[in-house]
Amino acid sequence: MKGNTKPKYGIAQNIGWMVKIAWKTRKRVLLFCMLTPVLEILYNLAELYIAPEILRRVEDHATIGSLLGTILFFTAALFLTLSIKDYIRENAMFPRVDVRTEIIGMIGLKCNTTSFPNTLDAEYIKLREKAHMACQSNREATELIWQTITLLLQNIGGFLIYLTILSYLDWTLLAVVIVTCVIGFLVSRHTTNWMFSHREAEEVYYVKKEYIRDKAQSIELAKDIRIFGLQNWLNDLLRKVHDIYLDFRLKAERKYLLADMTEAVLTMARNGIAYVYLISMALKEGLGVPEFLLYFTAVTTFTTWVMGILQQVTKLHEQSLDISRVREFIEYPEPFKFEEGEAVPNADGYELKLEQVSFRYPEAEEDTIHDLNLTVRPGEKLAIVGLNGAGKTTLVKLLCGLFDPTEGRVLLNGKDIREFNRREYYGLFSAVFQEFSILDVTVAENIAQTNQNIDYDRIRDCIEKAGLTKTIHELPDGLDTHVGREVYLDGVQFSGGQTQRLMLARALYKDGPILMLDEPTAALDPLAENDIYMKYNGMTAGKTSLFISHRLASTRFCDRIIFVADGRIAEEGTHESLLALGGEYAKLFEVQSRYYQEGKEF
């Protein structure tokens, strides 16, 4: 699939897919698509015949009653069809939005549930962006396609009916009309194809502009922008990208101008030929004024139907490409088993085992983890320490099942975790990772990760263990205080250390049998860090725990320590035994301990 530029699905398949979603979500979308073309054609026919029929009655010296009856009939037809058309036009958008929203939900579900390695996959990321682009407004493919289908049906129906009306005329005239329409369409299509082929470049300019604007306005960078004086630099970046974008738009407008000029010339030629032909018929064959008006109007409208068919087919093809990308994203292959995997067995304790595990990130030249063997016993408190970049976090992600090994196996109670439902496997872990995920909701909802059936007593116990009780007590609304100011103006901003404690409380609230803490005290001051260590035994009672840190002093309360270096377990033992060994762990501990001892030289 990677590198495949050809769409996986054709136009008919994508229309069928959209119809299925509409049938499930809002059937009115399909009703409006079928009804609108019928009404539009009837309205056009009423407009086409009203003037010729009135003129014919006048020429035939019809009675006032007959003339008024004709006017009344066509007026009623126009009023009725126009009223229903306007009603549909005003109400068609809402069910179409519902269908697009359903697709947005499908995309969101894929984003939130896809296997973790996919989130780092360049092809997945590219498809994800295309899928979002196809759904971001009313003018994008997942909604606009209904208008395209409606117009295509309308133009095909009108073409067939007007072709029947004009069959009385010389087919040469119809051929001229069709040929000039095709030439105009091809010129227009050249411009459209150029725009479509350069659409990704335009999107790049747009994304860069949005990125610079968002960063310039972000709360996270507000301090850096002011302290480092980044305002002019950001403005210059935005100006350069905007100038390049304007150059691109200028090229596009030139092409549009050429297409419009060509269409204007062809329209003049087409109408001129129609005038000459019909005037000739009037002079030679006695074509009456009503028939002249009827046929000339019909020729002009017939041109609209022909151009409409060609244009809508092109639009449908382009929109089908976008929808195909949406479907390819939603159906992107999953390396992990989910519902089709085996259920994780219930057990009093869980043993984790790495068996000759190696792991290499995509596109990397060498392994991050090398032929590593490790057994984490049920209920054990294991510390994983080492320098930055040693492979500690990657090792944690392998144990959590976020990655599968490139070689070897990860076992849960002796069974390869690849066989399990991965979502159930994730349920075993309560984790605090280095990257935080704070939502702009209440403190309680951030801890519980839900807004329903929140156990506040349990939350209070967790924030007490995480050392956050005083902080929460001082908030204006306590646990119901909003966090962040992207959504709520009254939201609070937590410090880095407070955020780490909040994440720890969240992990404790989940209460998984395996507690995994990756640098959970990196943003804490020494006193706060010591407070966490003192409470660690209470937090981990009855659980298997893994504590990852590059601070060696934080490992004394663990049953066993592994020192990771270059993706391997370099040393293993208790704190005292590793110090007695006098190896790399002891040397690094000595270096770190100097910062806390008076009179020591660095």
Side-chain angles (χ1 to χ4, degrees):
M1 180 174 178
K2 293 182 180 181
N4 182 17
T5 57
K6 183 179 179 180
K8 184 177 179 180
Y9 299 102
I11 294 177
Q13 292 172 305
N14 289 325
I15 292 176
W17 186 72
M18 292 295 296
V19 167
K20 287 180 181 178
I21 296 175
W23 185 261
K24 173 186 174 183
T25 308
R26 287 291 181 270
K27 295 182 177 65
R28 280 182 298 164
V29 170
L30 305 178
L31 174 63
F32 290 160
C33 277
M34 300 300 294
L35 189 57
T36 300
V38 174
L39 292 168
E40 190 65 43
I41 292 170
L42 290 175
Y43 182 80
N44 271 273
L45 288 173
E47 281 191 320
L48 175 66
Y49 278 100
I50 183 171
E53 286 301 318
I54 292 173
L55 287 173
R56 185 174 289 110
R57 295 290 187 279
V58 172
E59 285 185 344
D60 294 342
H61 304 289
T63 63
I64 294 296
S66 176
L67 185 60
L68 291 176
T70 301
I71 294 173
L72 183 61
F73 172 78
F74 281 102
T75 301
L78 289 170
F79 177 78
L80 182 62
T81 53
L82 182 61
S83 299
I84 301 175
K85 276 174 52 186
D86 286 345
Y87 172 81
I88 292 176
R89 184 173 61 251
E90 291 296 325
N91 292 276
M93 182 184 72
F94 304 110
R96 291 176 182 178
V97 169
D98 288 341
V99 174
R100 177 165 61 91
T101 302
E102 178 72 14
I103 296 173
I104 292 174
M106 295 165 68
I107 293 172
L109 181 64
K110 180 68 174 183
C111 291
N112 293 328
T113 61
T114 192
S115 303
F116 184 75
N118 281 350
T119 64
L120 307 177
D121 186 334
E123 181 68 16
Y124 171 89
I125 294 171
K126 182 178 179 181
L127 280 175
R128 182 187 64 197
E129 295 307 312
K130 289 183 178 294
H132 283 304
M133 289 290 290
C135 298
Q136 69 177 3
S137 74
N138 305 104
R139 305 302 301 172
E140 299 300 337
T142 49
E143 183 173 334
L144 196 60
I145 191 172
W146 300 117
Q147 178 180 320
T148 303
I149 292 172
T150 300
L151 291 175
L152 181 59
L153 292 174
Q154 172 183 311
N155 286 308
I156 291 174
F159 172 82
L160 294 175
I161 291 174
Y162 275 64
L163 186 64
T164 303
I165 295 171
L166 295 173
S167 61
Y168 172 78
L169 303 178
D170 191 332
W171 284 90
T172 302
L173 177 62
L174 298 182
V176 169
V177 171
I178 294 174
V179 168
T180 54
C181 286
V182 171
I183 293 173
F185 166 74
L186 291 176
V187 174
S188 176
R189 185 179 180 182
H190 172 74
T191 302
T192 303
N193 286 346
W194 186 88
M195 284 297 300
F196 193 77
S197 63
H198 290 77
R199 187 176 57 167
E200 288 193 13
E202 184 179 16
E203 290 173 358
V204 168
Y205 303 143
Y206 180 80
V207 169
K208 285 183 178 179
K209 287 173 62 177
E210 288 299 305
Y211 175 81
I212 296 170
R213 187 158 41 236
D214 289 344
K215 292 301 179 184
Q217 299 171 354
S218 71
I219 296 174
E220 292 81 2
L221 293 182
K223 297 186 293 294
D224 292 332
I225 290 172
R226 286 152 181 79
I227 295 297
F228 292 99
L230 303 179
Q231 301 93 331
N232 293 335
W233 181 50
L234 290 171
N235 287 335
D236 287 342
L237 286 176
L238 183 60
R239 190 180 302 110
K240 289 177 182 177
V241 174
H242 186 64
D243 288 344
I244 295 173
Y245 179 70
L246 288 180
D247 289 340
F248 172 83
R249 291 304 310 176
L250 181 60
K251 292 179 183 178
E253 294 304 324
R254 287 171 180 166
K255 290 185 176 292
Y256 279 123
L257 178 61
L258 176 61
D260 291 342
M261 291 175 62
T262 303
E263 179 58 31
V265 171
L266 290 171
T267 300
M268 292 175 61
R270 184 167 52 242
N271 290 346
I273 292 171
Y275 263 124
V276 170
Y277 175 80
L278 292 173
I279 291 172
S280 175
M281 285 188 66
L283 295 175
K284 295 179 180 179
E285 302 178 19
L287 185 68
V289 174
E291 288 77 14
F292 181 93
L293 181 60
L294 172 69
Y295 287 130
F296 183 77
T297 306
V299 168
T300 304
T301 309
F302 182 73
T303 301
T304 304
W305 299 131
V306 174
M307 288 295 292
I309 291 173
L310 297 173
Q311 291 169 354
Q312 300 311 318
V313 167
T314 300
K315 288 182 180 180
L316 191 61
H317 171 69
E318 294 171 357
Q319 290 162 4
S320 176
L321 291 176
D322 287 340
I323 291 172
S324 185
R325 297 292 184 255
V326 172
R327 296 182 66 185
E328 288 174 42
F329 172 73
I330 292 172
E331 298 165 8
Y332 200 82
E334 295 291 347
F336 298 162
K337 292 181 179 180
F338 293 110
E339 283 70 21
E340 69 276 13
E342 297 180 19
V344 173
N346 291 322
D348 294 332
Y350 294 96
E351 178 190 81
L352 290 171
K353 186 174 184 180
L354 300 180
E355 191 177 80
Q356 295 181 320
V357 165
S358 296
F359 178 78
R360 178 176 301 188
Y361 285 96
E363 310 302 327
E365 295 182 356
E366 59 182 35
D367 292 342
T368 301
I369 301 294
H370 305 273
D371 194 27
L372 191 145
N373 291 284
L374 172 67
T375 300
V376 184
R377 295 179 289 274
E380 182 179 20
K381 297 178 180 61
L382 177 69
I384 304 173
V385 300
L387 298 174
N388 290 334
K392 303 186 301 297
T393 297
T394 301
L395 178 57
V396 168
K397 290 177 179 178
L398 287 167
L399 288 167
C400 283
L402 294 175
F403 288 130
D404 277 342
T406 309
E407 297 178 7
R409 300 189 300 166
V410 179
L411 306 177
L412 177 72
N413 288 354
K415 191 174 183 66
D416 195 324
I417 67 170
R418 292 183 180 95
E419 301 302 319
F420 293 123
N421 180 326
R422 195 60 63 98
R423 292 193 185 96
E424 287 190 13
Y425 182 76
Y426 293 152
L428 299 178
F429 295 88
S430 294
V432 176
F433 294 109
Q434 293 184 41
E435 303 87 4
F436 302 143
S437 55
I438 301 293
L439 298 176
D440 277 25
V441 293
T442 66
V443 174
E445 289 168 345
N446 263 297
I447 294 173
Q449 292 291 281
T450 183
N451 59 2
Q452 298 177 346
N453 302 320
I454 298 176
D455 187 339
Y456 280 85
D457 290 336
R458 186 167 151 202
I459 286 181
R460 292 185 186 93
D461 179 60
C462 292
I463 63 173
E464 175 63 28
K465 290 179 178 177
L468 203 58
T469 300
K470 181 180 179 182
T471 300
I472 301 300
H473 181 72
E474 293 173 350
L475 295 177
D477 296 313
L479 290 170
D480 293 322
T481 302
H482 292 118
V483 179
R485 291 178 184 159
E486 296 291 330
V487 178
Y488 300 99
L489 296 179
D490 64 344
V492 299
Q493 298 284 352
F494 283 134
S495 68
Q498 290 170 335
T499 302
Q500 279 199 315
R501 288 178 180 270
L502 184 69
M503 295 298 96
L504 179 57
R506 183 178 71 175
L508 295 174
Y509 185 89
K510 183 182 178 183
D511 197 28
I514 303 172
L515 181 64
M516 190 168 285
L517 307 177
D518 188 0
E519 301 282 5
T521 61
L524 300 182
D525 60 65
L527 292 177
E529 185 177 17
N530 183 68
D531 180 56
I532 295 294
Y533 298 158
M534 297 300 292
K535 295 177 179 178
Y536 188 75
N537 285 333
M539 296 179 196
T540 59
K543 301 179 183 295
T544 303
S545 66
L546 298 105
F547 190 95
I548 299 89
S549 180
H550 65 277
R551 299 181 185 178
L552 305 191
S554 66
T555 61
R556 295 183 177 185
F557 50 81
C558 293
D559 301 325
R560 181 165 55 117
I561 302 167
I562 61 171
F563 183 79
V564 179
D566 298 324
R568 295 181 172 87
I569 297 177
E571 299 174 13
E572 181 177 357
T574 63
H575 177 71
E576 289 74 17
S577 67
L578 290 175
L579 288 181
L581 183 64
E584 293 300 317
Y585 179 92
K587 293 178 182 177
L588 187 57
F589 181 79
E590 172 64 20
V591 171
Q592 291 184 358
S593 65
R594 290 178 184 176
Y595 290 94
Y596 299 95
Q597 299 178 37
E598 292 185 8
K600 285 284 186 178
E601 295 184 1
F602 299 106

